[in-house]
Amino acid sequence: MYSDAACFFTRIENYNPDHVACLRMAISENFQISCSRLSKRFVNRGETLTAFEDISFQVRSGEFVCVLGPSGCGKTTLLRTIAGLETHTDGELVVKTSRADGNPDIGMVFQEQALFPWMTVYDNLAFVLGNNPDFLQAEIPSIVNEFLVKVGLEKFARYYPHQLSGGMKQRVSIARGFATRPEILLMDEPFVFLDFQTRLRLHELLLSLWQSFQKTVVFVTHDIEEAVLLAGRVIVMTARPGKIKKTIDINLDRPRDIFAIRHKKLFLGYIQTITELLKEEMQSLEIE
Amino acid sequence: MNSVRNDAKRLLIYTISPAVLFVVWEICARAGFLDVRFFPAPSTIFYHLFFVSPEEGIVTDVIFSVYRIFAGYFAGCALGMMLGIGMGLSHLLRMAFYPLIIVTYPIPKIAILPLIMLIFGIGDLSKIVVVAIGSFFLVLMNTLHGVDSLAKIYYDVAAVYRISRRNFIFRIVIPGSLPSIFTGLKLAIGYSLVIVVAAEFSGADKGIGYLIWQSWETFSINSMYAGIFVIGVLGFIFSYTLDLLERRLVPWKDKK
Ligand SMILES: Nc1ncnc2c1ncn2[C@@H]1O[C@H](COP(=O)(O)OP(=O)(O)OP(=O)(O)O)[C@@H](O)[C@H]1O
Ligand SMILES: [Mg+2]
């Protein structure tokens, strides 16, 4: 499912020249993730449903990219494909890794509740660390504690997820995402069910964690403000079948002050631009 | 500390409704509303149970029944759990065993007792085997249900973090199915009591079932009630122990 640079050239023969060009670039330019004309179709009882098609984009190492699009346009499916949980139907996907075994290190924060309810907060983190051969058993307690402190939950280490609030659970999920120090962090609308204030706090937390660890982040959302606030680049998708409508670079300084930034002309400009794009999308749907 | 006090409190509360029942029964028996030939007063039964039955060997009967239940129950539950998890995780195992199981599951276990006695003789082993078979099916079905209803997201988390097979089974699948497994364990312990008593009715010379049957033949109503009462107490102890164990092992489920 994954291919690193070495085995990639042996596989490429079967693909069309477009892909080859795109992927050659991926190798030379140090892209962590590159998709070339990626498509995913589901077959349900003989009916074909295209989740997304013709998706081409690259993500540099350390970049923060948001994927924005209306509900059902295939954002979750795209993220799952990058994570290797779903196989794509067409096109080529390269996820580069510096690991010897060729398996990229990925952390994922899911849209649904994905903590293990039978493990305490501590164990939820310790479990994924303990399973990873890169970590010594002896260093796990201090790593878990370090990340729980970062998300402000060190006092809740012995709690079970059902004893926490929604925002606290999501903070644990974020801590788990960062704890294994993955090369890539995939986040699927992690804040969608939270109230506005909690979201603000978590945006701040996420940005500061990203700032200090410089992970490659692909963050899926359907909230325009959230996308502009967090990302260095926003990929706007069309309604299903999802294609890339436009990619917008967000040239706002970092580190960002999530309160002050809201009053900046540039910030509001981006929001307006993207709103227009989505409006077009809605109108084109009505014509259909 | 706190949980110990809660357990004691719960135990106390659990004794309220049986106590009320006994008091009402006692009053009715003494007032002559009940025919004491068939419904002797609880005080008479308790007197018999504590002062007469021991002479008649009730302790041996209880020990034999409990031994048969435990041996059969543990064997049946262990096998049921293992096969349930195996079938839940392996398509091959499921395809191989599922047809056999849905055919044999509804057969009343008492119906095969004569067959079991032919094969395993009329001693302890045949009773143990039939208890084991009964427990096995209940635990198997509930374990399988537990594994099947484990949320798909946990498989995804396991895949993303490359959780090893061993960790996947012991830290995700088994704990995740535990609530359902416990449902099976609780059903099975009650069922084991039913089966062991029925099995002891015929072809046994010790056991609570034997005691009750013997009392019927000699029209010894008080001994019969003593046997029934002991079964009730055993059922209570077993269920209570399992409840306690469940609260300890599944602390992440909110319990009533
Ligand atoms: N396993 C599956 N089998 C069949 N169809 C699927 C499957 N997973 C997703 N789909 C379909 O693919 C389409 C895209 O789904 P997806 O979950 O990726 O959307 P999304 O953009 O994440 O939406 P939302 O913003 O609501 O989360 C949907 O129409 C959905 O019905
Ligand atoms: Mg989604």
Side-chain angles (χ1 to χ4, degrees):
Chain A
M1 210 176 306
Y2 300 111
S3 43
D4 58 7
C7 65
F8 148 74
F9 282 110
T10 59
R11 289 177 50 194
I12 211 159
E13 259 91 305
N14 318 332
Y15 293 92
N16 81 33
D18 276 4
H19 299 177
V20 180
C22 181
L23 292 168
R24 236 179 253 292
M25 208 167 74
I27 304 288
S28 59
E29 291 239 10
N30 190 32
F31 290 130
Q32 187 100 55
I33 302 167
S34 28
C35 312
S36 160
R37 315 208 60 176
L38 210 60
S39 304
K40 173 70 184 178
R41 285 184 294 276
F42 288 108
V43 181
N44 284 331
R45 291 196 209 92
E47 248 180 71
T48 317
L49 185 143
T50 306
F52 58 81
E53 63 183 5
D54 205 9
I55 300 280
S56 304
F57 68 91
Q58 289 81 29
V59 184
R60 277 203 177 71
S61 177
E63 206 180 354
F64 197 130
V65 172
C66 275
V67 177
L68 186 79
S71 183
C73 74
K75 305 182 296 293
T76 296
T77 311
L78 178 62
L79 213 57
R80 290 171 55 85
T81 307
I82 295 172
L85 296 173
E86 212 81 70
T87 49
H88 51 281
T89 327
D90 261 319
E92 177 76 343
L93 166 70
V94 179
V95 180
K96 275 215 291 197
T97 175
S98 51
R99 287 176 60 95
D101 61 6
N103 290 324
D105 239 334
I106 289 180
M108 195 158 179
V109 181
F110 292 85
Q111 192 169 3
E112 312 122 83
Q113 177 50 44
L115 296 173
F116 298 112
W118 48 88
M119 295 184 197
T120 58
V121 166
Y122 178 92
D123 285 334
N124 261 288
L125 268 67
F127 175 57
V128 292
L129 285 165
N131 191 78
N132 190 323
D134 296 351
F135 296 93
L136 300 170
Q137 288 302 320
E139 59 178 354
I140 289 174
S142 66
I143 297 175
V144 173
N145 200 51
E146 174 195 340
F147 280 90
L148 288 183
V149 169
K150 280 196 201 324
V151 299
L153 287 175
E154 69 276 17
K155 294 216 168 56
F156 295 89
R158 297 280 152 219
Y159 279 56
Y160 286 93
H162 77 274
Q163 297 165 322
L164 303 178
S165 72
M168 289 157 95
K169 277 186 244 187
Q170 232 23 299
R171 279 190 277 166
V172 181
S173 300
I174 293 171
R176 184 169 76 176
F178 277 95
T180 54
R181 316 268 170 100
E183 293 170 290
I184 301 168
L185 194 60
L186 303 175
M187 306 183 88
D188 188 6
E189 305 196 43
F191 309 140
V192 69
F193 298 118
L194 303 177
D195 62 277
F196 185 68
Q197 274 153 292
T198 311
R199 285 171 81 145
L200 284 184
R201 294 196 47 201
L202 294 187
H203 286 150
E204 206 162 29
L205 173 70
L206 177 59
L207 281 177
S208 81
L209 284 172
W210 176 75
Q211 210 82 39
S212 44
F213 293 101
Q214 294 294 320
K215 302 296 173 202
T216 309
V217 178
V218 181
F219 186 106
V220 159
T221 176
H222 57 230
D223 182 330
I224 300 173
E225 239 184 57
E226 181 172 78
V228 176
L229 190 66
L230 298 173
R233 193 149 52 98
V234 177
I235 297 172
V236 183
M237 287 178 75
T238 65
R240 194 169 53 81
K243 299 189 193 67
I244 292 182
K245 187 167 177 74
K246 200 159 183 197
T247 302
I248 296 169
D249 288 314
I250 307 293
N251 298 310
L252 291 164
D253 300 337
R254 294 199 194 260
R256 293 175 184 172
D257 175 332
I258 64 159
F259 294 102
I261 203 171
R262 281 166 204 279
H263 307 296
K264 287 202 174 143
K265 257 218 179 83
L266 204 49
F267 178 83
L268 296 169
Y270 285 127
I271 292 198
Q272 213 158 32
T273 314
I274 296 172
T275 310
E276 285 301 318
L277 286 172
L278 290 180
K279 191 171 144 197
E280 265 175 47
E281 221 19 62
M282 285 163 65
Q283 280 165 346
S284 72
L285 271 181
E286 273 160 19
I287 294 163
E288 276 176 20
Chain B
M1 199 56 225
N2 200 7
S3 79
V4 171
R5 202 165 52 235
N6 278 341
D7 288 339
K9 210 160 106 192
R10 184 185 292 263
L11 196 58
L12 203 69
I13 293 168
Y14 277 179
T15 56
I16 292 177
S17 58
V20 169
L21 176 74
F22 284 136
V23 168
V24 172
W25 183 354
E26 182 78 33
I27 292 168
C28 290
R30 290 195 181 203
F33 296 139
L34 289 172
D35 184 342
V36 289
R37 281 178 305 163
F38 303 120
F39 303 101
S43 54
T44 319
I45 297 171
F46 286 133
Y47 178 82
H48 190 87
L49 177 63
F50 291 115
F51 298 104
V52 184
S53 294
E55 304 284 306
E56 294 173 354
I58 197 172
V59 177
T60 322
D61 286 326
V62 171
I63 289 171
F64 266 85
S65 292
V66 169
Y67 157 67
R68 287 160 184 162
I69 290 171
F70 275 16
Y73 179 75
F74 285 120
C77 291
L79 282 175
M81 244 185 280
M82 283 192 282
L83 188 61
I85 286 161
M87 283 171 67
L89 292 176
S90 147
H91 191 67
L92 191 74
L93 275 181
R94 185 189 295 255
M95 290 301 115
F97 284 101
Y98 199 65
L100 288 178
I101 283 161
I102 51 175
V103 168
T104 47
Y105 175 56
I107 299 174
K109 305 306 165 277
I110 292 301
I112 53 169
L113 183 61
L115 180 65
I116 301 284
M117 288 197 333
L118 268 180
I119 301 169
F120 294 99
I122 56 164
D124 285 338
L125 191 58
S126 57
K127 281 110 197 150
I128 292 170
V129 169
V130 82
V131 167
I133 292 173
S135 305
F136 168 79
F137 278 105
L138 287 170
V139 173
L140 169 69
M141 290 311 226
N142 281 284
T143 305
L144 187 57
H145 171 75
V147 178
D148 284 348
S149 47
L150 206 63
K152 208 184 150 288
I153 186 104
Y154 302 134
Y155 289 82
D156 291 342
V157 177
V160 166
Y161 289 103
R162 298 176 196 290
I163 302 299
S164 67
R165 188 84 190 146
R166 198 171 150 236
N167 274 341
F168 181 66
I169 294 173
F170 288 99
R171 303 282 317 267
I172 298 179
V173 173
I174 293 180
S177 321
L178 220 47
S180 198
I181 292 175
F182 261 101
T183 306
L185 292 177
K186 286 190 219 171
L187 288 172
I189 195 69
Y191 196 53
S192 297
L193 260 171
V194 173
I195 292 181
V196 94
V197 169
E200 285 165 354
F201 275 174
S202 52
D205 54 4
K206 283 179 201 76
I208 305 173
Y210 165 77
L211 167 76
I212 293 173
W213 195 256
Q214 196 67 13
S215 314
W216 180 78
E217 287 187 329
T218 58
F219 201 68
S220 167
I221 284 287
N222 287 340
S223 297
M224 203 184 277
Y225 271 102
I228 294 169
F229 186 79
V230 166
I231 293 171
V233 170
L234 284 180
F236 181 88
I237 293 172
F238 293 156
S239 300
Y240 185 79
T241 310
L242 279 173
D243 276 343
L244 208 70
L245 206 62
E246 185 181 22
R247 280 200 298 281
R248 291 286 143 79
L249 292 180
V250 194
W252 47 279
K253 274 267 145 107
D254 274 327
K255 279 270 132 33
K256 282 182 219 73

